[in-house]
Amino acid sequence: MTEVTFLPWLGLRESVQVAGVTLVPWGEFQASPGLAAPDRDWLGRYFARYQRRGGTAVDTATVVVPREGGLAKALRVLRAAAASCLVWEHAGALSRGNPTMCPPRGERWLVLTQRYDPANEFVALREGYTTNVWSLDEFVEVEPLSAGATVARLDPPVIGMAEALVAHTEQDEEFGAALDLLVEGTMTSDRHLERLNFVFLGSALELLAQAGGERQKAVRIAEALACAVRNARNGCPTAADAWERAATAARRADPELVRVWMAGCDPCDRGSCGRHQQRHTGFYRRRNRVIHEGRAGGDLLLHQRPDTGEPHSWQMQVGGGGGAHACDIALVMSGWLLLDRVGGLLERTTWSRWCHALDGAAGALGFQ
């Protein structure tokens, strides 16, 4: 038996290396001279069964080629690349007001491993808790609508951040669990996952902020975020001199507004707030309502601007909704914590571009 690890919906247009793992578009992999003809034929039939809703085969399959460390290392690298890419793309989407589509979702980073025999046209597919056997002409996997637009390439800042995340994960297993939760928090194929998005992203922020065991986790997470923004204002920690630090510094995000958005407004709690027309609850408190009270809709789908308390909204509807979803904003908030945790491993250019991306999202969302 032979096996292939791949991402059916990723959609890279050219191969890329991330921390020793190569991601190769199926079309390029198919033409490689090292691929035996029986494998090429079998895989060609197999990937043709991954289709769009109109019945045409997708051209988004991307094959994973592990180097050192084998498949286990490759899966850790893919997790880091997914977390980096999703935060980066959400920041860009929110910065632009995203008038045409929802921010990218985690379905594009679905990873599958398939064992096969080139001489056998049958394939074993796991569905939930069972495994069924199908012929190559019988089964069809349809691209989920939430996969969104395809990725043509991974930007250098995404690769740089992913490699730093991999290096840090090797020293901190809890950090790796946080990356898992970030990616899981963007999986939205099923409606029931709306509730889990808040659970996963809130838990990821707990781990990134090292708030485990704290009694007032909302406050601890908010303070960690505010501290990360302040640190970003000091510039890249690997900058060579004061000029480089100034040139790479974050400027637009207000640490206090970031803290308010996450934990809530203290004057609102005391009934003495002159800033917000409605009581500003804070993301983490709303997230706990989802967990402890089972609330998954209504005011939880959109969230308040930290400066005015009004719902985040755009002039044009976003993917059928009316504004920025709380989980999308929370995912971008995690970017500040990621930047803070691995800043010493990033090159100056990578740090600077991440600050620019997060600053753009902060400005668009009222965090300034």
Side-chain angles (χ1 to χ4, degrees):
M1 295 290 286
T2 308
E3 69 177 26
V4 60
T5 299
F6 66 102
L7 299 91
W9 320 122
L10 187 60
L12 287 181
R13 291 294 178 261
E14 57 186 22
S15 61
V16 63
Q17 286 198 21
V18 183
V21 175
T22 305
L23 304 178
V24 187
W26 164 239
E28 180 180 332
F29 188 82
Q30 186 179 28
S32 60
L35 185 64
D39 293 278
R40 182 181 295 109
D41 294 342
W42 194 97
L43 290 173
R45 292 179 64 190
Y46 175 71
F47 286 133
R49 307 311 295 169
Y50 288 84
Q51 299 178 1
R52 295 188 172 87
R53 291 185 177 269
T56 59
V58 300
D59 57 356
T60 55
T62 302
V63 178
V64 179
V65 182
R67 299 299 183 189
E68 55 187 43
L71 181 58
K73 170 69 177 293
L75 293 176
R76 292 196 298 272
V77 171
L78 291 172
R79 173 184 59 191
S84 175
C85 183
L86 288 164
V87 174
W88 176 262
E89 291 185 335
H90 272 68
L94 295 175
S95 298
R96 295 187 295 271
N98 197 26
T100 58
M101 60 173 286
C102 289
R105 301 294 180 180
E107 278 74 11
R108 286 188 314 181
W109 285 92
L110 174 69
V111 182
L112 301 174
T113 296
Q114 181 64 59
R115 301 188 70 192
Y116 69 93
D117 178 356
N120 192 333
E121 70 169 18
F122 293 96
V123 57
L125 300 174
R126 188 171 181 82
E127 300 176 12
Y129 296 101
T130 62
T131 299
N132 295 315
V133 177
W134 300 81
S135 77
L136 284 175
D137 296 326
E138 288 178 331
F139 88 95
V140 172
E141 293 288 348
V142 179
E143 180 184 31
L145 290 174
S146 51
T150 57
V151 171
R153 59 192 293 270
L154 295 183
D155 292 333
V158 173
I159 297 174
M161 174 64 81
E163 292 180 338
L165 296 179
V166 171
H168 191 74
T169 299
E170 292 175 351
Q171 309 300 321
D172 186 345
E173 290 186 6
E174 188 175 88
F175 187 76
L179 299 184
D180 278 335
L181 289 164
L182 282 180
V183 177
E184 288 297 321
T186 65
M187 298 288 184
T188 56
S189 289
D190 300 313
R191 293 288 296 176
H192 76 276
L193 287 182
E194 285 180 355
R195 185 173 185 271
L196 296 181
N197 296 147
F198 281 88
V199 176
F200 290 145
L201 288 171
S203 299
L205 287 164
E206 287 177 7
L207 295 177
L208 291 176
Q210 299 176 297
E214 299 282 344
R215 293 190 62 183
Q216 294 183 313
K217 289 184 180 180
V219 174
R220 173 69 187 104
I221 296 169
E223 290 176 348
L225 273 167
C227 181
V229 172
R230 285 193 292 270
N231 290 341
R233 285 184 163 186
N234 294 326
C236 180
T238 59
D241 50 42
W243 185 89
E244 280 195 355
R245 283 191 291 275
T248 57
R251 293 176 175 84
R252 296 181 67 180
D254 182 337
E256 174 59 15
L257 291 179
V258 169
R259 190 198 68 77
V260 166
W261 187 87
M262 177 56 63
C265 177
D266 293 336
C268 280
D269 288 342
R270 296 191 296 267
S272 60
C273 183
R275 172 188 291 167
H276 303 124
Q277 295 182 3
Q278 298 181 5
R279 183 169 178 265
H280 202 298
T281 306
F283 171 82
Y284 193 80
R285 291 182 186 176
R286 292 185 176 222
R287 177 259 188 183
N288 286 346
R289 287 181 185 175
V290 172
I291 297 175
H292 302 302
E293 301 177 26
R295 300 184 187 179
D299 66 340
L300 291 173
L301 294 180
L302 304 182
H303 204 45
Q304 295 166 306
R305 290 173 59 98
D307 51 353
T308 63
E310 296 296 320
H312 287 291
S313 60
W314 311 116
Q315 293 180 351
M316 297 181 67
Q317 288 192 342
V318 181
H325 288 224
C327 287
D328 296 322
I329 305 169
L331 183 66
V332 174
M333 290 294 98
S334 70
W336 295 105
L337 294 172
L338 294 177
L339 193 68
D340 199 49
R341 294 287 292 274
V342 303
L345 302 175
L346 297 176
E347 296 180 352
R348 179 180 61 83
T349 301
T350 300
W351 168 280
S352 181
R353 292 191 64 183
W354 270 93
C355 278
H356 180 75
L358 294 172
D359 262 348
L365 294 168
F367 293 92
Q368 63 178 0

